[in-house]
Amino acid sequence: MSSELSAYVSDTTPARGALRPARSWLHSDAPSRSLNGPWRFRHSPVASVAEDFATEDFDDLGWDSIAVPSHWVLQGDGAYGRPIYTNIQFPFPIDPPHVPDENPTGDYRRHFDIPADWSDCERIVLRFDGVESLFKVWVNGIEIGSASGSRLAHEFDVTSAVRTGDNVVAVRVHQWSAASYVEDQDQWWLPGIFRDVTLLARPAGGIEDVWLRTGFDDGRGRVVPEVTADATAFPVTLRIPELGIERVWATADDVVPVDVAEVEPWSAERPRLYDVTVSTAAERIALRVGFRTVEIRGDRFLVNGRRVVFHGVNRHETHPERGRVFDEEHAREDLARMKRFNVNAIRTSHYPPHPRLLDLADELGFWVVLECDLETHGFDKVDWVGNPSDDPAWRAAYLDRIQRTVERDKNHPSIVIWSLGNEAGTGSNLAAMSAWVHARDAERPVHYEGDYTGEYTDLYSRMYASVPETAGIGTDGAHSVLFNCTPAQSARQRSKPFLLCEYAHAMGNGPGALDQYEALVHTHPRLHGGFVWEWRDHGILATTPDGTPYYAYGGDFGEVVHDGNFVMDGMLLSSDDPTPSLHEFKAVVQPLRFGFDTDELTITNLRHSADTSDLRFRWRVEHDGTLVDSGELDVPAVTAGESAVVRLPRIVAAPHAETWLTVDAVLAEAGDWAPEGHVIATAQQDRSARSVVPAVRPRSDWRPGDGTLTLGIADFAGGSLVRLAGRAVTGPRLQLFRAPTDNDASPSEGVENSDAGTAEVSDADLWRRDGLDRLITRRVSVDQAAGALRTVDRVSAANSALSVTVESVWSLEDGELELRVEIEPSSGWRTVWPRIGIGFELPDGAAPVDGAEWFGLGPLESYPDSLRAARTGRFSSTVGDLSVDYARPQETGHRSQLRSLTLTSASAEVLRVATIPDVHGRRPGFTLSRHTPQQIARAGHPFELPDSATTHLIIDAAQHGLGSRACGPDVAPEFVLRPEARTIRLRMAAGGEA
């Protein structure tokens, strides 16, 4: 690389040439032309010096064609390089501000036409909404300028370079530049022109920029306008037709606030928008405004005078085929899905999204924390030495990024907080960014999690604080020293509203304990909720050599350094399928609280400002999961923050069945994001009569036997089960292992929150160390009695003295086959167990077991610290649908608190299993899968799972919790599964038997 080129790509200057000042992204009736579509494209794995391709007469016929917008690494089937995923790591040497000579570069060219009627325009502007990472622009061979800031808008004045008729634009994009050091967000590195390119005709007498700040106070509204235009553009007219407002400002001095006597407020729950136009004789700007006032009062964050609780998600722009290329239809559905799952807030991690997404957020209703395009996380590797955040040489770049962020999106009512960026350490450049925002926008507060001591931000923010730590932050009068703070700094931070800008790391099967965080919000008003990390997985659709599709993650593209499947950490799979964690989130944060009494129901409205007039309340009664009665409750409109008490119908408990009352709050009418009848909130009450658990029959006639016999539907040979209900079946076999979840496999942080964790060692490593995945059985004894068989086994692992004694008793009880398994660990076990269960293998034979019907918790998987979305009922599923296709196969499919289970084959009943609670009233759960936990644990992707000729049923007495250890707290102590004695009691019958 030449010294000149090296200096160019390593320059921290954010822009050069004819770049225009940042301004709002406006909807204007002035002429414009999209330059999206096919461009000529040439890729080079190294940075090129020659710029002859920018000349008008350059022959590009030998070049390829590429779509704009797109990422070149997602085109050409690898011809232009491959995506790279890192979380913290830099995929190049840490040598700021320098980048390698091996700097992939994309050259773009296309022709465009300037209409003759554009000749009277004051200027022609070329806008790029997103280019990664450094780009230079030529028009008709004339160098226009260059810019960096991948997720930011850049407008170039090309007036002097264009002409009526045919023109040529050329763009050179370098993948790596000095800017890459401050764009180390947890995401794929995806170079190219990935957002819109637009040619704008700016009319003489047009409007350069508009900002309509709004306020709301007790029914009254206020518009504070800021109009940027030449004096010749006036008069300027403001119109809000629905409010009967028309103001004509003859000069700039006449632009003054407009008071509105009566107006409806905007909120995330009721996103009331008003159409507005700001016009001159030459141009008309259309906006949609919402009236709302944002303020911090003491340690409360308020909108329109009411405390906001953020039930939010961190949202990256990602799609398995398009990457960060925006598709409005998909984005609208994405946000509608958020609304359906009770998400009310978005943190735009870690950059501004496509501007149209914010129009959708205004319309559908979200509280938005808009984040600047900034992260320098890779400097953590070198203890933050050389971090740009405190280096004056980077000051201009930092300020340019925040200015472009705020100026582009300042008109959106959904944006209630500005965020300086993410995980960039701290320093004077961040403080300068904050100072600029405060001077530009005095209303909306400034957020940045890394300002732990609160030197320059308005809110206290943390990521992945544990439940006890979060409670300590919210507790009045607490004197504990906060993270990285002195006592005085701790007191200052406790005087501010608190946000969990990231919590509950939703990687793979998890997280757990969402409900514990939610409970704190309602106990400590200083706590304002937070944002789950994160909304969706970032898988890239790929295929195996034999054509099998799968979602690729870090390392699947041969990256030199990568962070594996850490990019698969969303509550939505890459396929757009919600995970059970999203259902759990919806249930935990539902905006209504239900309190049952004998004949009354208390309904508390937890919403910010909306009453319940948009809802209907339905009830139903089920006996053992079968519907017996239903109706609708007469509920008055409950205002936000208030409660109402309503009468419940008379419910008679069934004498020999469980009786459950369920209440659902549903939408009374269809809306923009959900149909009529969509369930917003639900609650259940157990109305069952007390039942007697059958006692274990004492036996004194045991005698040694050969264990070869038949007991009802079960056949045994040598004490081992060989057939059950006419099918070949083996088991029960002790199962203590589960395919490690991403949380189980993480050695990272948060272990101090569990009495089971071991620092720097994952639970999965401990389980393998103790041989839980390779248990061996030794038969100790076989005894028989009248109508009964007893076996005692010692289960342990090679090279281990630890063991578990398993006593299995089969007997005929009241004409039914009962299995009672007593599991007792030896002393000396030092680590948690993933599960305590017994497994059965059911070979396919003539027809595989391919489905299940059950009465218990469902319909989705559930675990000890993730049960709120589960309800008691009767459910059915295919074996395949019982599991979740996590990007990395892991523990999945457990259904808790099982009462009865019917295994089916081609819809025909094969085996019926009923559970009996243990002496503590605990019921087991079940997992039904085509693979063993060991097979699942060995697979890195779903396509790596082997073909199977067996269905595997595991009945679990207990499961370890999920936690959030992959990036956050471990399993809470109350959900830790310690080695302990457990009992499993089952009664079995052949399919179709009563």
Side-chain angles (χ1 to χ4, degrees), residues 460-619:
Y460 182 35
S461 175
R462 287 291 313 286
M463 53 176 67
Y464 307 111
S466 67
V467 169
E469 182 184 357
T470 305
I473 293 168
T475 301
D476 288 336
H479 298 292
S480 58
V481 176
L482 300 179
F483 179 74
N484 275 8
C485 287
T486 66
Q489 291 165 341
S490 299
R492 173 168 62 188
Q493 292 296 68
R494 279 197 176 91
S495 70
K496 300 177 180 180
F498 177 74
L499 279 182
L500 281 163
C501 67
E502 295 178 21
Y503 81 111
H505 193 258
M507 186 176 180
N509 189 349
L514 283 169
D515 53 345
Q516 295 186 346
Y517 285 101
E518 178 66 12
L520 294 178
V521 168
H522 302 289
T523 305
H524 306 290
R526 179 180 304 129
L527 307 181
H528 288 72
F531 299 83
V532 170
W533 187 267
E534 64 174 301
W535 170 239
R536 65 160 62 237
D537 283 358
H538 299 222
I540 292 178
L541 188 61
T543 56
T544 64
D546 68 0
T548 302
Y550 71 101
Y551 291 104
Y553 50 74
D556 287 337
F557 296 105
E559 300 100 308
V560 176
V561 296
H562 63 84
D563 286 303
N565 69 318
F566 209 70
V567 76
M568 307 299 236
D569 48 11
M571 294 192 292
L572 198 67
L573 298 178
S574 302
S575 58
D576 286 346
D577 293 313
T579 66
S581 70
L582 186 53
H583 290 269
E584 180 77 0
F585 178 89
K586 176 186 177 180
V588 165
V589 306
Q590 63 184 29
L592 301 172
R593 181 185 295 148
F594 299 95
F596 290 97
D597 203 343
T598 303
D599 55 3
E600 291 181 334
L601 175 68
T602 301
I603 301 171
T604 301
N605 181 1
L606 302 175
R607 289 169 158 181
H608 171 264
S609 49
D611 64 23
T612 61
S613 58
D614 61 328
L615 304 177
R616 292 202 304 266
F617 293 83
R618 297 173 177 169
W619 62 269

Side-chain angles (χ1 to χ4, degrees), residues 16 18 139 302 485 539 545 605 625 705 916 976:
R16 306 160 194 82
V139 173
L302 310 175
C485 287
N605 181 1
I916 300 174
V976 167

Side-chain angles (χ1 to χ4, degrees), residues 699-967:
R699 293 180 181 274
S700 58
D701 57 343
W702 291 111
R703 64 189 186 281
D706 63 4
T708 300
L709 73 162
T710 296
L711 290 174
I713 62 169
D715 296 325
F716 300 88
S720 297
L721 178 69
V722 292
R723 294 186 69 79
L724 187 62
R727 294 180 63 100
V729 177
T730 59
R733 183 179 180 88
L734 180 68
Q735 185 62 267
L736 301 181
F737 183 69
R738 72 183 185 193
T741 66
D742 289 308
N743 291 317
D744 295 337
S746 173
S748 59
E749 49 203 288
V751 295
E752 73 278 359
N753 303 309
S754 167
D755 58 2
T758 302
E760 305 305 321
V761 179
S762 73
D763 281 340
D765 288 340
L766 296 174
W767 299 340
R768 292 187 174 98
R769 180 201 68 187
D770 288 346
L772 300 189
D773 59 333
R774 47 184 175 83
L775 296 175
I776 299 170
T777 298
R778 177 175 66 84
R779 180 64 44 86
V780 176
S781 63
V782 178
D783 297 302
Q784 293 176 220
L789 170 69
R790 180 177 67 186
T791 62
V792 177
D793 297 324
R794 179 185 171 94
V795 182
S796 54
N799 199 38
S800 175
L802 303 171
S803 66
V804 180
T805 299
V806 180
E807 180 187 63
S808 302
V809 178
W810 296 87
S811 63
L812 293 175
E813 307 290 345
D814 304 320
E816 295 183 302
L817 177 67
E818 179 172 311
L819 167 64
R820 176 171 54 87
V821 181
E822 302 285 356
I823 301 166
E824 185 175 349
S826 67
S827 61
W829 292 93
R830 302 190 305 278
T831 61
V832 300
W833 279 353
R835 68 176 356 133
I836 303 175
I838 54 173
F840 297 86
E841 293 186 357
L842 297 90
D844 289 349
V849 171
D850 57 11
E853 301 170 358
W854 75 98
F855 176 43
L857 289 189
L860 303 175
E861 65 184 26
S862 55
Y863 292 83
D865 52 355
S866 184
L867 287 169
R868 291 284 290 274
R871 58 182 174 85
T872 301
R874 193 169 292 278
F875 309 98
S876 64
S877 173
T878 65
V879 171
D881 287 343
L882 286 169
S883 301
V884 178
D885 285 332
Y886 296 112
R888 185 187 69 80
Q890 55 196 277
E891 163 66 28
T892 178
H894 179 75
R895 268 68 177 176
S896 307
Q897 298 179 27
L898 179 67
R899 278 78 163 171
S900 62
L901 169 68
T902 300
L903 303 183
T904 60
S905 177
S907 300
E909 293 187 358
V910 171
L911 179 68
R912 300 178 66 186
V913 181
T915 70
I916 300 174
D918 67 11
V919 294
H920 300 288
R922 299 173 297 196
R923 291 185 182 271
F926 82 96
T927 303
L928 191 66
S929 172
R930 295 291 288 175
H931 296 95
T932 67
Q934 290 79 2
Q935 289 172 327
I936 296 170
R938 286 192 290 268
H941 302 83
F943 68 81
E944 296 172 18
L945 291 167
D947 293 335
S948 173
T950 303
T951 299
H952 302 271
L953 171 65
I954 300 177
I955 303 292
D956 284 316
Q959 276 255 1
H960 185 53
L962 298 174
S964 191
R965 184 172 171 171
C967 189

